[in-house]
């Protein structure tokens, strides 16, 4: 009998705190501050839309400047303008309510790989949704 009661006491000492934590955890979690599940889903949706807009914007900025300078047989933008994944690359220098501003250099095809200096410097502002060119700020010789 004594053995059983010692084992029983040991179980209570070991499991009682765990059971207490398990019983307290849902109450503590219910009171924990933070965003609701819906707010979290809304934020995820917002971030996905922003990533898509940045990817559209970098593509539009790059292609617009390529067209202004001939085509890809005559002009190649800096490698940062080929970034993917919705980040915008290092050429994205501003992203606010006015839009996304890209500044980058370019030159003859292969200029960067061959270690040649760029010949053209460009800056273009794209709408916040990434669907239209707001303004070509500059596109000319590197100064």
């Amino acid at each position: 009998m004594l053995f059983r009661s010692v084992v029983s006491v040991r179980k209570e000492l070991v499991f009682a705190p765990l059971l207490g934590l398990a019983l307290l955890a849902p109450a503590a979690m219910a009171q924990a501050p933070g965003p609701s599940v819906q707010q979290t889903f809304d934020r995820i949706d917002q971030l996905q839309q922003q990533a898509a807009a940045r990817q559209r914007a970098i593509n539009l900025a790059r292609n617009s400047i390529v067209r202004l300078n001939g085509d890809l047989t005559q002009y190649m933008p800096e490698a940062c303008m080929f970034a993917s994944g919705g980040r915008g690359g290092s050429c994205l220098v501003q992203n606010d309510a006015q839009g996304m501003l890209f500044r980058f250099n370019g030159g003859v095809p292969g200029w960067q790989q061959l270690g040649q200096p760029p010949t053209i410097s460009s800056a273009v502002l794209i709408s916040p949704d990434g669907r239209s060119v707001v303004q070509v700020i500059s596109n000319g010789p590197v100064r």
Side-chain angles (χ1 to χ4, degrees):
M1 244 348 166
L2 182 62
F3 179 72
R4 286 185 186 173
S5 61
V6 170
V7 171
S8 176
V9 170
R10 278 193 176 165
K11 285 182 183 176
E12 288 175 15
L13 290 174
V14 170
F15 293 112
L18 295 176
L19 291 173
L21 287 176
L23 294 174
L24 290 175
M29 288 179 5
Q31 295 173 357
S36 70
V37 173
Q38 187 57 49
Q39 287 171 325
T40 301
F41 285 142
D42 291 346
R43 181 67 177 138
I44 290 169
D45 186 50
Q46 179 186 26
L47 291 172
Q48 288 174 335
Q49 289 174 11
Q50 289 172 352
R54 280 192 301 272
Q55 190 63 55
R56 275 193 307 270
I58 196 169
N59 291 341
L60 180 59
R62 180 187 63 241
N63 294 340
S64 297
I65 297 300
V66 166
R67 268 187 260 114
L68 285 174
N69 291 295
D71 60 22
L72 288 174
T73 64
Q74 299 172 338
Y75 169 85
M76 182 65 66
E78 195 170 348
C80 63
M81 289 304 291
F82 292 93
S84 62
R87 291 184 314 269
S90 61
C91 293
L92 176 61
V93 296
Q94 181 181 325
N95 185 2
D96 57 25
Q98 295 177 346
M100 291 173 251
L101 177 61
F102 294 90
R103 289 188 193 279
F104 56 97
N105 293 322
V108 297
W111 69 274
Q112 216 170 3
Q113 293 80 1
L114 296 172
Q116 297 175 349
T119 55
I120 297 173
S121 180
S122 304
V124 60
L125 182 63
I126 305 296
S127 64
D129 65 1
R131 297 184 188 277
S132 61
V133 175
V134 175
Q135 179 183 8
V136 174
I137 297 166
S138 63
N139 184 50
V142 174
R143 297 178 204 173

